[in-house]
Amino acid sequence: MAEIQKIPGVAYVEPDIGFTVYIRCNGRVFPQSVAGASIPNSSSRFKTFAAGKMISRADADEAVVSDVFVETCGYAKAADAVGQTIEFLAARNEKSNEGGTAQKQNDEKKADQSDSDEGISFFGLPLEDTQSAPADAVAARTFRIAGVLGEEKREGAAQGGPVGLAFSASTYIPLPAAHDWLANHRNPMGEVALALARQSGQLNESQSEGYGSAVVRVSDPVAITEVRKRITELGFGSFSIVDQMEQIRTVFLIIDAVLGLLGGISLLVASFGIANTMIMSILERTREIGIMKAIGAEDREIKLIFFFEAAVIGFTGGVIGSLAAWGIDGISNRLAFRFILKPQGASFVDFFHLPPYLWLGAIAFALIVSILAALYPAARAARIDPVRALRHD
């Protein structure tokens, strides 16, 4: 963590640590997801509070909870939960029980009787809501609710979903407290993993396991590439919104290829359309062409007239197409920001960009295609016999 924090361009590093624990709040006991939070914390998930404020210190026995947690506790509003205490429950250590086997058997009988009276249970904890703590659980640690997170109003498909890449939970406690809890209350798989790590020499007896992942926030999006390179050199894998953008870019490259094929077919059809329009114009203006040639118009001037008309058609089409592209790009950028970037807490980025050389090139290309399409009609108009043209009705 310290080495990653020293990488140039890194604003802060927050370990991703989370677990599920039974919590007693307002006389109710229920399982909830818990995550550790670095203090101070500039994450976007801790910007909006319905009541209260952020945890004051890294060593404070304080917690920040969600609005759903407040409803589960039975409080009418978020302000009522601020200042109240919550208790993390843990199973009583069998080694500390007095009475040995006899006491254990007596507890088992009481548990069986309790199960028959209260219905189905899970490790002694009733599955339905209860107003008192189970008899075989003790309050292992107490926290005071410092604040209640407010629901951030977001638009798009991820409305109501998690913010950012960090582990999302209903309860947040200081990072040291979360790490201590996991170290003191490991699950069986965690115990086996720790034993194997110490047996293989990866950890000594005084060391504990680290973090499974961490969220690294950079001070400038431009530094993402270099920071990820340095993280890879340290031996870690990484993931960022850039990966999603690369995947999206790949998808759009495929779409571009398909649209390019369709555009080529449309371009061919449009060329025939322009040529057909010019030929129809020749048929309608045959007598006019004959008069112009009779009074001295040369073939070059006749061709120039039709080339100019075709150029006007191509230029107008190119301008209309460029304006339509600008409008589509603007709408697409807003939709991409609303549905992709904003739910991730990222700033606005132009997914679609229409540089000047592209729209100018599009207009010039339309102009050239129109002139090429008018080659045959213009040549046909220049070859018209003025005598026959004057007799044309």
Side-chain angles (χ1 to χ4, degrees):
M1 297 289 296
E3 292 180 7
I4 295 177
Q5 184 66 59
K6 295 178 182 178
I7 297 177
V10 173
Y12 74 89
V13 184
E14 183 174 7
D16 194 0
I17 180 172
F19 53 89
T20 302
V21 65
Y22 273 93
I23 294 179
R24 178 164 54 199
C25 175
N26 196 25
R28 299 184 180 186
V29 177
F30 45 87
Q32 286 291 304
S33 58
V34 181
S38 300
I39 307 299
N41 196 303
S42 57
S43 175
S44 56
R45 72 173 67 242
F46 299 117
K47 296 297 184 183
T48 306
F49 282 85
K53 57 183 181 179
M54 186 57 180
I55 301 170
S56 59
R57 307 185 316 274
D59 58 348
D61 289 333
E62 297 176 347
V64 169
V65 300
S66 65
D67 51 352
V68 178
F69 181 91
V70 172
E71 295 178 2
T72 307
C73 287
Y75 293 110
K77 52 185 179 179
D80 296 338
V82 177
Q84 302 297 326
T85 60
I86 59 176
E87 297 174 327
F88 285 15
L89 303 182
R92 189 185 303 275
N93 192 347
E94 294 182 358
K95 296 181 180 180
S96 63
N97 291 340
E98 297 180 0
T101 305
Q103 180 65 31
K104 183 177 179 180
Q105 293 176 351
N106 188 24
D107 291 341
E108 292 176 353
K109 292 180 180 179
K110 291 182 179 179
D112 293 339
Q113 183 179 358
S114 176
D115 289 344
S116 61
D117 294 338
E118 299 180 6
I120 302 176
S121 63
F122 181 73
F123 290 124
L125 296 176
L127 294 181
E128 63 270 7
D129 290 339
T130 178
Q131 298 298 323
S132 61
D136 62 341
V138 294
R141 189 155 185 175
T142 302
F143 295 90
R144 185 182 67 86
I145 299 178
V148 178
L149 294 174
E151 182 179 355
E152 182 183 358
K153 294 182 178 180
R154 290 179 288 150
E155 300 175 343
Q159 174 69 29
V163 179
L165 300 176
F167 181 79
S168 181
S170 62
T171 307
Y172 296 91
I173 60 177
L175 185 63
H179 192 270
D180 290 343
W181 180 270
L182 277 183
N184 296 325
H185 302 85
R186 295 186 183 89
N187 54 37
M189 291 186 64
E191 292 286 355
V192 173
L194 181 61
L196 291 174
R198 289 177 176 174
Q199 183 179 359
S200 62
Q202 296 178 353
L203 294 175
N204 57 39
E205 293 297 329
S206 61
Q207 291 178 324
S208 61
E209 63 272 30
Y211 304 101
S213 62
V215 175
V216 180
R217 181 172 292 272
V218 297
S219 56
D220 188 350
V222 179
I224 288 181
T225 302
E226 184 62 26
V227 170
R228 295 187 65 185
K229 180 180 178 181
R230 295 287 299 275
I231 291 176
T232 303
E233 292 175 354
L234 293 175
F236 300 102
S238 62
F239 171 81
S240 72
I241 190 66
V242 176
D243 296 319
Q244 292 183 343
M245 294 181 67
E246 290 295 335
Q247 295 174 4
I248 294 173
R249 186 175 289 109
T250 302
V251 173
F252 278 111
L253 285 176
I254 298 174
I255 296 177
D256 286 344
V258 176
L259 293 179
L261 178 61
L262 296 178
I265 297 174
S266 301
L267 183 63
L268 181 62
V269 173
S271 300
F272 282 115
I274 295 174
N276 182 65
T277 301
M278 293 292 99
I279 292 174
M280 293 300 297
S281 177
I282 293 172
L283 296 176
E284 293 174 356
R285 298 160 59 187
T286 301
R287 186 178 181 84
E288 179 182 344
I289 295 172
I291 294 175
M292 287 189 293
K293 297 192 74 173
I295 62 177
E298 299 180 358
D299 293 348
R300 177 177 58 83
E301 295 172 335
I302 300 298
K303 290 181 180 180
L304 187 62
I305 292 174
F306 285 92
F307 282 145
F308 183 79
E309 291 183 0
V312 170
I313 295 175
F315 180 80
T316 304
V319 171
I320 295 175
S322 298
L323 293 176
W326 271 330
I328 295 174
D329 280 359
I331 296 174
S332 300
N333 280 326
R334 299 304 184 277
L335 292 177
F337 172 69
R338 180 176 300 178
F339 289 99
I340 299 176
L341 296 179
K342 193 174 182 181
Q344 299 291 338
S347 58
F348 181 83
V349 175
D350 280 332
F351 274 83
F352 310 95
H353 180 55
L354 191 64
Y357 74 85
L358 187 58
W359 60 266
L360 288 175
I363 295 176
F365 183 74
L367 191 63
I368 294 173
V369 170
S370 299
I371 294 176
L372 292 177
L375 286 175
Y376 173 73
R380 180 174 175 176
R383 291 196 304 266
I384 293 179
D385 184 6
V387 176
R388 296 180 60 185
L390 291 173
R391 296 171 56 187
H392 182 78
D393 186 4

